[in-house]
Amino acid sequence: MTSHVFRDRTEAGRQLADRLADYAGRPDVIVLALPRGGVPVAVEIARALHAPLDLFVVRKLGVPGYEELAMGAIASGGSQVLNDDIVTSLKIPPHVVEAVAAQEREELLRRERLYRGGLPPAAVRGRTVILVDDGLATGATMQAAIRAVRQGGPAKIVAAVPTTSRETAERLAGEADAVVYAVLPKPFLSVGASYFDFSQTSDDEVRRLIHPFLSPTPEPAPEEHDPTLLARLRDAALPLSGEERNYDPLIALIGQARFVLLGEATHGTHEFYEERAAITKRLIREKGVRAVAIEADWPDAWRVNRYVRGDSEDLDAVEALSGFRRFPTWMWRNTEMVGFVEWLRAHNRTLREGTDKVGLYGIDLYSLRASMKAVIRFLDAVDPPAADQARARYACFDRYGEDTRGYGLMTGLGVSESCREQALGQLLSLQRRARDTLSWAGDADPDELFSAEQNARAVASAEAYYRTMFVEDVSSWNLRDRHMADCLDAIAAHRGGGGAPGRIVVWAHNSHLGDARATERARSGEFNLGQLLRERHGRAVVNIGFTTSSGTVTAASDWDAPAERKRIRPPLPGSYEALFHALGLARFLMPLTAGSPAAADLGAPRLERAIGVVYAPGTERQSHYFEARLSEQFDALVHIERTRAVTPLETTAVWEAGEVPETFPAGL
């Protein structure tokens, strides 16, 4: 058979459907597409055969450092296929194979949630299953899919592809009951060589194409609540009408606490920023708070800190916030944050000369490269020989460029040596010098020296975080939150006066601030910032959570995907959000003082919702709910029944349009 070129995957699907005409109209047939490239092909086949269509996810296992080279594949259901020739010839140890497989399983599950919206897998028992991809080179992905589907008890499996090599087709004939193809190019160069247009199929295209074939996710049924419980909670709830004095009880509850933690149930809700700003302003004016710490990277926040303290050349808050370019940019580059930053700058200008100004700081650890550059920039100005030494230490990371995930994978697997000693060495060097500022060759501003030390701390923590993230999920989470706690302690010490630590307001997600000991995550050994601060500082910590039931939120459908304005689904039965919805109150503050009726009523385990930078409504339970005891997590709660999406400084047409009214899903 001579070679042939398809215009695109749609034409390839139509030609392949002609080869599958014997299966048309049969009630036992189901078409399963292998995302992403197999979906446009399978759509045409399902239409032509009048057959149902679903997805079957397969992930290639790439050789670390040479990901294009497949050492095997995994598929839905747990099936794994290894290319023994590749594994043996490259002497890839079993722990490396398993680590790559673990990473790809996580991506496989993510794609299943994203594409299928939490729907159960299609039943294949007793059916004829047509597995479709856009072409096969080695056939490892199709082989993994066949073996996984076989576990479901189908009557017959047909492997169908527009193009492949004769050798691969013959090899698959030993796995599938039938192999159907449109062309067998001679010689077979690559799958893409059979297409004029072989551009990558996107996640959005997969979802758009598969949507008409999948059943919508039903809305949760209303939950019946104990009327006596609702009455007690209504009595304990303090309505919020928008007046400043509404928060008098909360300010009294906070008292002289040194750490005031203000949470959020999502990263993209306008009202959470608005209410945290209102509370923070009062704490600055009335309680002497001199630092605001946010769940952000140190270098980006330090630029804003210099602006609000009048030490930068940025013209306005928008320019000062321009350092926030890492996904998700809308988390801090939004119109609500602009207003708060301008207020901080204006407030600092009203302070008497010599009065300590309010600062804004970042406590996260993702800024590996930016923090290294900041350390070297500082040392270049005050001690060039020390800067050269820092360059030499940090050069260890140069082989990975900006690919921090690549660094983490290769070092976590033990394929490459880590830069741990170099990162820790630079941090210890700065800490030693910070204790003796007279030893500096140049004039070192104490604030800039402190910033350099915190950047070095971020480098050391980020190195450890990326090194553990692929092989120890809980460990990397714990490392991140311990870094946040250490950073806050350092800020408190730096901003203190007369030997007393400074007072700090913290803005971060509920999942970081709500005491982890009161959640199901503690069972897996996970702790968080709220727990660490309570353990270290006891009653000096006051923790306020924020929740919502409905409205819109700014979030993405996938990591590094564009911001979207999404509708929040109704809360699940058995959740705190569903309980608060039943109260019928628009906004309220709920003190959770130990021993109070509200604390007792909200101490029983319920589901709690957490929406991060990714929101997958179709997998609401799996992706966004966890079990918690609310009154043990927080000292008080602010609930806002209906909220709206935070407004990014850079909106897109997708965000402006908002989510279309459908139940199909549009991911902390």
Side-chain angles (χ1 to χ4, degrees):
M1 186 176 292
T2 59
S3 62
H4 179 77
V5 176
F6 308 110
R7 183 175 64 251
D8 54 20
R9 292 181 178 87
T10 297
E11 180 185 304
R14 290 169 182 165
Q15 290 199 29
L16 186 57
D18 291 340
R19 305 272 178 170
L20 294 163
D22 289 345
Y23 297 97
R26 287 175 41 176
D28 66 316
V29 170
I30 183 171
V31 179
L32 296 185
L34 275 58
R36 289 178 291 198
V39 175
V41 179
V43 164
E44 298 303 318
I45 293 172
R47 287 171 177 165
L49 303 185
H50 303 288
L53 172 65
D54 209 321
L55 298 170
F56 199 78
V57 184
V58 183
R59 293 291 297 170
K60 178 178 69 176
L61 302 181
V63 176
Y66 304 91
E67 281 72 18
E68 301 81 3
L69 182 61
M71 60 180 177
I74 59 172
S76 296
S79 177
Q80 177 172 304
V81 177
L82 291 182
N83 186 327
D84 292 330
D85 292 340
I86 295 293
V87 173
T88 302
S89 63
L90 295 181
K91 298 180 180 179
I92 303 172
H95 75 274
V96 171
V97 175
E98 179 51 36
V100 174
Q103 178 188 354
E104 292 301 334
R105 285 190 201 102
E106 181 179 338
E107 175 63 14
L108 185 147
L109 292 173
R110 183 197 69 80
R111 290 197 179 198
E112 286 185 329
R113 292 193 299 267
L114 177 65
Y115 300 152
R116 309 192 74 261
L119 294 172
V124 298
R125 184 168 299 278
R127 307 181 75 174
T128 295
V129 178
I130 302 177
L131 283 169
V132 180
D133 205 351
D134 58 1
L136 299 178
T138 65
T141 54
M142 181 63 78
Q143 186 180 19
I146 293 169
R147 292 183 179 181
V149 170
R150 188 76 71 187
Q151 296 171 4
K156 183 177 182 178
I157 297 178
V158 179
V161 292
T163 180
T164 186
S165 68
R166 182 173 297 278
E167 293 76 17
T168 298
E170 291 174 349
R171 185 167 62 253
L172 283 179
E175 296 277 351
D177 298 295
V179 178
V180 178
Y181 46 82
V183 295
L184 287 178
K186 298 177 63 176
F188 179 84
L189 301 176
S190 67
V191 173
S194 293
Y195 290 86
F196 281 120
D197 179 3
F198 196 62
S199 56
Q200 188 177 49
T201 306
S202 68
D203 285 340
D204 285 343
E205 187 176 359
V206 169
R207 288 167 47 215
R208 177 180 61 79
L209 290 171
I210 202 69
H211 175 196
F213 294 89
L214 297 182
S215 300
T217 304
E219 298 291 346
E223 179 182 4
E224 295 293 332
H225 293 94
D226 179 2
T228 305
L229 170 63
L230 296 181
R232 286 199 304 269
L233 290 176
R234 287 193 193 98
D235 288 342
L238 305 176
L240 297 173
S241 63
E243 297 180 7
E244 189 176 71
R245 310 324 300 182
N246 288 162
Y247 281 121
D248 284 355
L250 182 61
I251 300 301
L253 174 66
I254 291 169
Q256 297 304 309
R258 291 193 287 109
F259 296 92
V260 181
L261 314 184
L262 302 180
E264 58 183 4
T266 86
H267 281 319
T269 295
H270 163 82
E271 286 79 3
F272 294 159
Y273 289 86
E274 180 181 54
E275 298 304 310
R276 290 188 301 189
I279 296 167
T280 302
K281 290 174 185 179
R282 289 197 60 179
L283 293 173
I284 289 171
R285 292 194 304 259
E286 302 172 29
K287 297 293 185 178
V289 165
R290 287 293 175 266
V292 180
I294 63 176
E295 186 185 333
D297 293 332
W298 184 274
D300 303 338
W302 186 254
R303 178 170 177 176
V304 181
N305 175 64
R306 297 186 72 247
Y307 175 75
V308 301
R309 292 164 66 87
D311 297 330
S312 81
E313 296 181 358
D314 287 326
L315 297 178
D316 54 26
V318 173
E319 188 173 354
L321 289 163
S322 62
F324 291 100
R325 292 297 180 186
R326 179 178 64 81
F327 176 85
T329 55
W330 69 85
M331 188 169 163
W332 301 115
R333 279 188 59 77
N334 58 64
T335 57
E336 291 79 357
M337 195 65 185
V338 167
F340 179 66
V341 169
E342 294 292 13
W343 182 91
L344 276 180
R345 180 177 170 91
H347 172 80
N348 281 335
R349 283 177 170 173
T350 67
L351 300 178
R352 296 192 307 272
E353 188 70 29
T355 302
D356 197 15
K357 297 178 180 179
V358 182
L360 188 141
Y361 307 91
I363 57 173
D364 221 331
L365 51 56
Y366 292 113
S367 56
L368 182 68
R369 280 289 173 184
S371 286
M372 285 192 290
K373 292 175 183 177
V375 169
I376 293 172
R377 187 164 55 246
F378 168 77
L379 291 174
D380 271 334
V382 299
D383 192 341
D388 291 339
Q389 187 178 40
R391 284 190 184 89
R393 287 181 173 127
Y394 289 155
C396 175
F397 294 93
D398 287 349
R399 78 191 81 166
Y400 303 99
E402 300 293 330
D403 185 10
T404 52
R405 292 174 61 86
Y407 169 82
L409 179 61
M410 299 298 284
T411 57
L413 296 177
V415 177
S416 298
E417 290 188 8
S418 77
C419 300
R420 177 177 180 271
E421 291 186 7
Q422 293 86 338
L424 287 175
Q426 186 55 48
L427 172 59
L428 293 173
S429 175
L430 271 171
Q431 288 176 330
R432 285 194 297 268
R433 299 294 293 276
R435 289 193 290 268
D436 181 15
T437 55
L438 295 178
S439 68
W440 289 97
D443 294 327
D445 179 278
D447 280 338
E448 295 298 330
L449 173 55
F450 174 67
S451 179
E453 182 182 345
Q454 296 314 302
N455 273 307
R457 183 193 305 277
V459 172
S461 294
E463 184 280 325
Y465 176 84
Y466 287 117
R467 180 163 37 84
T468 60
M469 67 181 294
F470 289 109
V471 291
E472 301 176 59
D473 289 343
V474 171
S475 176
S476 60
W477 171 276
N478 289 351
L479 191 152
R480 182 183 174 202
D481 278 50
R482 183 180 285 115
H483 169 84
M484 292 183 181
D486 293 343
C487 196
L488 283 171
D489 282 340
I491 295 168
H494 180 69
R495 296 308 308 270
R503 306 184 69 201
I504 304 175
V505 172
V506 183
W507 292 14
H509 198 280
N510 285 348
S511 57
H512 291 293
L513 300 186
D515 194 324
R517 293 171 294 187
T519 74
E520 66 180 48
R521 293 168 176 172
R523 294 196 290 267
S524 63
E526 182 177 297
F527 56 74
N528 67 358
L529 176 59
Q531 174 183 338
L532 291 173
L533 290 179
R534 280 182 169 179
E535 290 174 342
R536 294 180 185 184
H537 304 288
R539 294 184 180 277
V541 179
V542 172
N543 198 338
I544 299 107
F546 287 72
T547 59
T548 185
S549 293
S550 62
T552 58
V553 65
T554 296
S557 292
D558 195 6
W559 193 261
D560 276 335
E564 299 178 46
R565 183 153 43 100
K566 294 170 169 281
R567 291 176 296 107
I568 300 175
R569 293 196 67 203
L572 293 181
S575 67
Y576 285 108
E577 290 79 6
L579 177 62
F580 297 149
H581 171 72
L583 296 181
L585 302 175
R587 298 183 179 212
F588 61 83
L589 166 68
M590 183 79 74
L592 300 172
T593 309
S596 67
D601 286 333
L602 298 178
R606 284 180 176 268
L607 295 177
E608 182 180 321
R609 179 155 55 187
I611 298 174
V613 297
V614 174
Y615 182 38
T619 56
E620 191 89 15
R621 175 62 180 93
Q622 305 97 309
S623 302
H624 300 295
Y625 279 92
F626 59 95
E627 190 177 86
R629 300 182 299 280
L630 194 76
S631 59
E632 295 178 32
Q633 277 184 290
F634 302 107
D635 299 300
L637 175 86
V638 173
H639 179 77
I640 303 169
E641 176 63 18
R642 187 170 185 83
T643 54
R644 60 186 173 91
V646 72
T647 305
L649 291 183
E650 293 87 17
T651 61
T652 64
V654 173
W655 189 93
E656 292 287 357
E659 191 175 53
V660 297
E662 61 183 20
T663 56
F664 184 75
L668 235 25

